[in-house]
Amino acid sequence: MLIGILGGGQLGRMLALAGYPFGLRFRGLDPAPDAPLGQLADLVVAPYDDSSALDRFVRDLDLVTYEFENVPGATAQFLSERVPVFPPPEALIHAQDRLFEKQLFETCGIPVPRYAPVSSPDDFARALEQVPLPALLKTRRLGYDGRGQARVERAEDLPLAWEQLGGVPCLLEERIPFDFEVSLLAARSRSGELAFYPLVENQHTEGILAISRAPAPRASRQLQHLAERYVRALLERLAYVGVLAVEFFVVGDQLLANEMAPRVHNSGHWTIEGAETSQFEQHLRALLDWPLGSTTPRGHAAMVNLLGTVPPIASLLAIPNAHVHLYGKAPRPRRKLGHVTVRADTADERDALVRRVLEVVSLPAPVSI
Ligand code: AMP
């Protein structure tokens, strides 16, 4: 069985690592010749819209998935005429545009922060009427890890914020004074089987994920049920196949959806050691219509991202129950180079291990737990 992966980053690499024990083979497509998947699988190096490269990529594939959501819609369409593509391209199209994404959430009955589209200066006044300040202006497309966002504290800030973001179509979104942030990872298989992991509590540094802890220390059973209800609606509406991650803001006992990723997700890396079935294996099971695996956590886990620099590996491995993953990427400020997962029998022990990891890891801005 040969599986094509659009994108050759660390997510693709970890998908391949999860598939090898099953005898699966992988081929990636990525414009970067040094993409991490290329170190362990066949990699076609070409832009996503290069039709002769797409012909080479798709040859002999049994199915295609993606680990990167900014793959052009036309590429997913071209491939889906030749081979099954999962998750469905419709999920990709919604996740690529913050306006379509929010409209999809609303269609599924999922609350979102108040927002308004801002495509030209003509929209400023109406957007400011609809969205309370302080707010964030976000580009509709191609924003990630806190990029493509500007703060709008006062009405006068909006024109400059829009110019700073390049005058492209944006959304103005109210800034939510959330209690904390969570994500729910879920899977739906081709025959409709569903699985949900426990909620993950996420902490960011400068808009980039820094720490994920699971099960989420502050999430109640009711919050878990609410998140599952919302994500089930999305999975069914999209006839989704694969792993889906949805990020939420928690305000009291309410959840507001921030964004979704139609793929395996950084806030699910803890599942490699911290759950019976990793998100990567789960995604493959869903795609191949195999029975989904148990999402039961193995105790309490946490993941810390290695951003920009990697400390000496020995200093991380000296920490009990620390599992180190390096992606084979060249260091660059803020870049995700690897992660460390710790696991313990209790939440307190887990947090003590996280503090030890944070003593040796330098993040762009300090994060404490
Ligand atoms: P995003 O790229 O939209 O996921 O934003 C990255 C991070 O910025 C989020 O995880 C939050 O920590 C923060 N953020 C984004 N949107 C909002 C919002 N409407 N209110 C408060 N914080 C936000």
Side-chain angles (χ1 to χ4, degrees):
M1 184 78 77
L2 182 60
I3 297 179
I5 305 178
L6 294 167
Q10 64 267 18
L11 301 177
R13 180 177 159 119
M14 288 185 274
L15 270 176
L17 287 170
Y20 289 142
F22 296 127
L24 302 174
R25 291 181 307 126
F26 296 88
R27 178 185 297 148
L29 174 69
D30 197 293
D34 59 351
L37 177 61
Q39 294 166 5
L40 42 104
D42 184 19
L43 184 72
V44 175
V45 179
Y48 293 110
D49 56 359
D50 175 337
S51 56
S52 76
L54 286 176
D55 276 331
R56 261 184 295 138
F57 170 69
V58 78
R59 196 170 304 146
D60 302 327
L61 291 183
D62 292 289
L63 56 89
V64 167
T65 189
Y66 32 80
E67 58 103 59
F68 170 69
E69 67 257 32
N70 288 317
V71 171
T75 299
Q77 189 59 39
F78 174 91
L79 293 170
S80 66
E81 285 159 14
R82 287 156 183 79
V83 66
V85 176
F86 299 122
E90 198 195 341
L92 188 73
I93 288 158
H94 283 90
Q96 284 175 350
D97 186 310
R98 290 187 189 275
L99 177 61
F100 298 161
E101 184 178 56
K102 285 209 163 43
Q103 289 169 340
L104 173 68
F105 288 150
E106 290 177 310
T107 310
C108 292
I110 306 171
V112 295
R114 278 172 284 185
Y115 68 94
V118 176
S119 303
S120 77
D122 295 343
D123 296 328
F124 291 164
R126 193 186 30 80
L128 288 164
E129 266 168 38
Q130 290 175 3
V131 178
L133 298 180
L136 287 166
L137 189 68
K138 299 183 178 180
T139 59
R140 278 175 56 178
R141 301 178 67 84
L142 302 174
Y144 69 100
D145 288 347
R147 288 169 216 250
Q149 295 192 12
R151 297 163 78 95
V152 177
E153 308 290 337
R154 302 161 306 155
E156 307 87 271
D157 299 340
L158 183 54
L160 186 61
W162 186 67
E163 263 172 49
Q164 275 170 353
L165 294 178
V168 295
C170 287
L171 281 193
L172 187 68
E173 183 178 309
E174 73 175 305
R175 203 151 80 220
I176 303 296
F178 53 77
D179 300 327
F180 54 100
E181 291 182 86
V182 294
S183 54
L184 188 73
L185 290 135
R188 184 176 179 278
S189 74
R190 280 163 90 163
S191 50
E193 192 188 353
L194 299 178
F196 300 94
Y197 285 93
L199 280 169
V200 185
E201 183 168 331
N202 299 315
Q203 283 166 275
H204 295 82
T205 169
E206 297 185 350
I208 315 175
L209 182 65
I211 303 176
S212 291
R213 288 183 291 166
R218 288 181 277 179
S220 63
R221 193 185 281 268
Q222 289 90 313
L223 215 56
Q224 177 81 31
H225 286 154
L226 188 60
E228 288 186 13
R229 198 177 90 212
Y230 290 156
V231 175
R232 182 178 293 116
L234 277 173
L235 292 169
E236 284 174 355
R237 162 109 200 167
L238 294 165
Y240 196 85
V241 176
V243 165
L244 174 73
V246 184
E247 296 180 58
F248 295 98
F249 302 126
V250 181
V251 184
D253 56 5
Q254 298 300 312
L255 290 170
L256 296 173
N258 177 29
E259 60 182 7
M260 68 175 195
R263 53 170 168 77
V264 287
H265 191 253
N266 194 173
S267 69
H269 292 359
W270 64 274
T271 57
I272 298 175
E273 292 88 8
E276 284 300 329
T277 310
S278 82
Q279 63 163 345
F280 301 100
E281 179 179 327
Q282 196 76 294
H283 186 70
L284 296 170
R285 286 177 179 236
L287 262 40
L288 295 164
D289 210 16
W290 292 343
L292 296 183
S294 162
T295 53
T296 304
R298 293 170 167 163
H300 296 259
M303 182 227 55
V304 179
N305 267 338
L306 302 175
L307 300 172
T309 58
V310 176
I313 193 163
S315 63
L316 294 167
L317 294 175
I319 299 167
N321 298 353
H323 303 273
V324 179
H325 298 254
L326 300 179
Y327 308 146
K329 289 162 77 174
R332 216 188 285 151
R334 297 164 52 96
R335 196 175 200 201
K336 291 175 179 169
L337 302 176
H339 72 268
V340 185
T341 298
V342 292
R343 222 165 48 77
D345 291 337
T346 67
D348 286 347
E349 284 172 63
R350 184 265 322 273
D351 289 351
L353 291 174
V354 174
R355 286 188 205 100
R356 286 188 61 181
V357 173
L358 291 176
E359 282 167 20
V360 286
V361 170
S362 56
L363 293 169
V367 178
S368 60
I369 59 156

